[in-house]
Amino acid sequence: MLSPPSASRSPSSTTANSLSNGSVLSNIKSKESIPGEERIRRHKKDFGLLPIPQRLRYDPNKILHFGLFMKIAFGFASTFTIANLYYCQPLLVQQAETFHVTFSQVSKIPTLVQAGYAAGVFFISPLGDLVRRRPLILALITISGSLTIVLATTNNVTAFEAVTFIVGAASATPMVLLPLAADLAPVERRASAISIVLSGLFFGILVARVIAGVIAQFTSWRVVYYFAIGVQLFVLVGCYLIVPDYPPKNKNLTYWDILRSMGKYAVTEPLLIQAMLVNIATSACFANFWVTLTFLLAGPPYHYSTLVIGLFGLVGMLGVALGPIVGRLVDKLVPWHASLISVVLLGCIQAIQVGAGGINISAVIIVAFALDVFRQMLQVSLTTSVFSLAPEARSRLNALLILTLFMGQVLGTSVGTEVFVKYGWRASAWLSLGWYGWQVIILLLRGPHCKRYTWFGYEGGLEGRKAVIEKREEFHNGLEKAPPGIREEGRTARES
């Protein structure tokens, strides 16, 4: 603690004393300002027709409370919009019988819906940086829900495949919700808000297969899509009543400017590139484990049935359920440290798989649970750090991160399966352990406090506690605003 000057109690002395205690600046955490906020039009209707509830209309003079209820609503919406991508996976055999086609023909359905989603992430989700996100979210859910009616009723496999692609693209809703949650949440709770939406997304991936499998076991596969229609209608009504309006942040840009800027960000931002490289590798590890797990559990020494193998998804869901706790932890740490801790722990967990994954089932259960916990912690920390780069470009930055996640899934699925088939489960586990080592190297190349365009090094030290960093910033900013004499005195005291 710095000692205040003792010669007098003059105003300048009082200022110095305030500086020494790091209390010159207000402790109130304000949200990022929106460019041209005074010129923002306060919309009263969505699409010029639907009135926006009064409490949800944007007001620059009122900070909306992004509380637990709204976080849960965002997570629920993410769960049952991303689920559109995965309902089809347990239904392919029944669909082949209904459409009177081969398994090879219906196997295109999961590929098409994922391709549609990738297209939606790249071409639709960046619109969140250009237009109001509330009507964009409502429009996407309306499109996906309406077209799901076609999926539930059509008897033509070609029409089913075409509509599946469009539904996949319209299911990019979570990628619009995620940056919106980051904008609405206060800075000190941003990681928690991001973790809720990501938890909803991961829940959707796991829950969709379970719901589809159970419903199709007792009724027709079409009932799964009727269920999807109903739940999307519920989400649509919920979003209309809960999602607040928020103004566009880049009125001066065109859609093509948005797409071009994504390419620029992808090659000029060291922090983003670091996060993308880590994201590719960790997504590959995740896909490698869950894809090859089916082969491992179906073979010796386990010989489990398909039903039992499917229940391992419930273990992953327990890990996902810890998302809010993970988010609170990341809120207290500098994101780089949270990422490094996550990767190191993931490497330790993977070592268990290397040593005992094909020997004892308890090892597989531990890995399945911990993998989801620390994978989510890593995703939250990477997203939080990247979102800090440019608040006005969060939708674009998020789209780039999600695209690298897809790249990692392709890498992990293809290479991991090939290694497993040729060399066995232990070689496949070693492959993932090597990828975790690669992630540690990438993180260590660039420290936690480097300036925005510094590619390598450790500028600013290694402090990992956000509270300490914030105190330092308050003290530094206070010195810069103080009179010259007090500024020099404060710097001398800080150095001593």
Side-chain angles (χ1 to χ4, degrees):
M1 180 70 70
L2 302 179
S3 300
S6 57
S8 68
R9 293 295 179 184
S10 64
S12 60
S13 175
T14 304
T15 304
N17 188 27
S18 297
L19 287 171
S20 68
N21 287 283
S23 60
V24 170
L25 298 183
S26 171
N27 287 327
I28 297 175
K29 306 290 189 296
S30 61
K31 301 183 187 303
E32 293 90 347
S33 61
I34 302 171
E37 190 167 359
E38 68 282 354
R39 298 187 302 274
I40 289 174
R41 179 184 173 190
R42 301 184 188 183
H43 290 269
K44 296 182 179 180
K45 293 184 178 180
D46 290 318
F47 315 111
L49 298 172
L50 296 174
I52 302 174
Q54 182 70 37
R55 70 184 187 284
L56 300 178
R57 295 175 188 175
Y58 178 72
D59 184 353
N61 299 316
K62 181 180 71 174
I63 296 178
L64 185 71
H65 178 60
F66 191 65
L68 180 61
F69 179 74
M70 192 174 293
K71 290 177 184 177
I72 293 174
F74 274 46
F76 186 87
S78 295
T79 297
F80 287 101
T81 50
I82 201 69
N84 291 331
L85 309 183
Y86 300 96
Y87 288 130
C88 62
Q89 293 183 1
L91 309 177
L92 297 179
V93 173
Q94 290 188 17
Q95 288 174 339
E97 294 173 354
T98 299
F99 293 128
H100 305 292
V101 296
T102 64
F103 292 156
S104 176
Q105 179 78 18
V106 294
S107 68
K108 297 177 183 177
I109 294 172
T111 304
L112 284 168
V113 73
Q114 292 287 345
Y117 182 69
V121 168
F122 188 82
F123 292 107
I124 297 176
S125 67
L127 284 170
D129 287 337
L130 191 63
V131 302
R132 291 165 52 223
R133 280 169 284 188
R134 174 184 161 89
L136 178 60
I137 291 167
L138 297 178
L140 289 174
I141 298 173
T142 300
I143 292 170
S144 63
S146 300
L147 291 178
T148 303
I149 298 174
V150 179
L151 298 181
T153 57
T154 184
N155 291 313
N156 187 298
V157 68
T158 303
F160 189 96
E161 291 172 345
V163 173
T164 288
F165 180 87
I166 302 172
V167 169
S171 297
T173 305
M175 297 304 105
V176 183
L177 284 168
L178 188 60
L180 178 59
D183 284 341
L184 293 173
V187 175
E188 68 275 14
R189 289 289 181 266
R190 181 163 295 147
S192 298
I194 291 172
S195 71
I196 293 289
V197 181
L198 285 175
S199 294
L201 189 148
F202 292 141
F203 262 123
I205 294 173
L206 298 171
V207 168
R209 298 186 182 99
V210 176
I211 291 175
V214 170
I215 293 177
Q217 179 71 27
F218 299 101
T219 60
S220 166
W221 64 266
R222 295 186 186 276
V223 177
V224 175
Y225 289 98
Y226 286 124
F227 168 83
I229 295 167
V231 78
Q232 286 181 89
L233 177 60
F234 181 78
V235 169
L236 178 62
V237 174
C239 286
Y240 173 78
L241 296 175
I242 296 172
V243 173
D245 196 27
Y246 201 79
K249 297 190 287 186
N250 298 278
K251 289 186 174 182
N252 58 321
L253 298 180
T254 66
Y255 178 68
W256 302 113
D257 291 333
I258 291 287
L259 294 183
R260 280 194 296 268
S261 67
M262 288 175 65
K264 181 180 177 181
Y265 282 128
V267 297
T268 61
E269 295 286 351
L271 176 59
L272 174 62
I273 294 171
Q274 183 184 46
M276 290 168 66
L277 291 173
V278 171
N279 209 31
I280 290 173
T282 192
S283 179
C285 295
F286 187 82
N288 182 25
F289 174 79
W290 283 105
V291 170
T292 60
L293 181 65
T294 301
F295 305 141
L296 174 63
L297 298 180
Y302 303 119
H303 301 290
Y304 289 157
S305 67
T306 302
L307 176 62
V308 173
I309 294 173
L311 291 177
F312 273 79
L314 299 178
V315 179
M317 289 172 62
L318 291 176
V320 171
L322 295 180
I325 298 174
V326 167
R328 294 297 295 270
L329 176 61
V330 175
D331 272 328
K332 297 181 183 298
L333 294 173
V334 173
W336 183 89
H337 288 83
S339 297
L340 185 61
I341 291 171
S342 303
V343 173
V344 171
L345 291 175
L346 284 166
C348 294
I349 294 300
Q350 187 63 33
I352 297 175
Q353 179 72 356
V354 171
I359 299 173
N360 193 301
I361 193 60
S362 62
V364 179
I365 294 173
I366 291 171
V367 174
F369 173 77
L371 179 64
D372 279 275
V373 174
F374 298 119
R375 169 72 182 89
Q376 190 171 194
M377 180 177 177
L378 180 58
Q379 189 68 47
V380 170
S381 61
L382 291 176
T383 304
T384 303
S385 63
V386 168
F387 278 5
S388 69
L389 282 174
E392 73 281 359
R394 282 181 179 147
S395 292
R396 285 165 283 173
L397 296 171
N398 185 60
L400 291 169
L401 268 184
I402 297 301
L403 288 173
T404 57
L405 188 148
F406 268 89
M407 294 168 61
Q409 286 181 348
V410 172
L411 177 65
T413 301
S414 57
V415 177
T417 302
E418 186 74 13
V419 171
F420 185 98
V421 171
K422 288 186 176 181
Y423 304 105
W425 65 269
R426 182 165 274 128
S428 179
W430 270 112
L431 174 64
S432 288
L433 191 60
W435 279 333
Y436 286 125
W438 160 259
Q439 294 170 61
V440 171
I441 293 172
I442 294 298
L443 284 171
L444 292 178
L445 289 176
R446 186 179 189 277
H449 304 296
C450 290
K451 294 179 181 177
R452 180 170 178 175
Y453 294 108
T454 298
W455 288 87
F456 305 102
Y458 285 83
E459 296 173 343
L462 286 170
E463 177 59 53
R465 293 165 295 176
K466 276 187 178 179
V468 175
I469 298 301
E470 288 169 358
K471 288 290 185 182
R472 287 181 181 177
E473 290 177 351
E474 288 177 359
F475 185 88
H476 175 75
N477 292 334
L479 284 179
E480 294 302 320
K481 293 182 178 181
I486 297 175
R487 190 184 313 162
E488 188 61 32
E489 180 183 345
R491 286 174 178 165
T492 303
R494 181 177 59 184
E495 292 170 1
S496 63

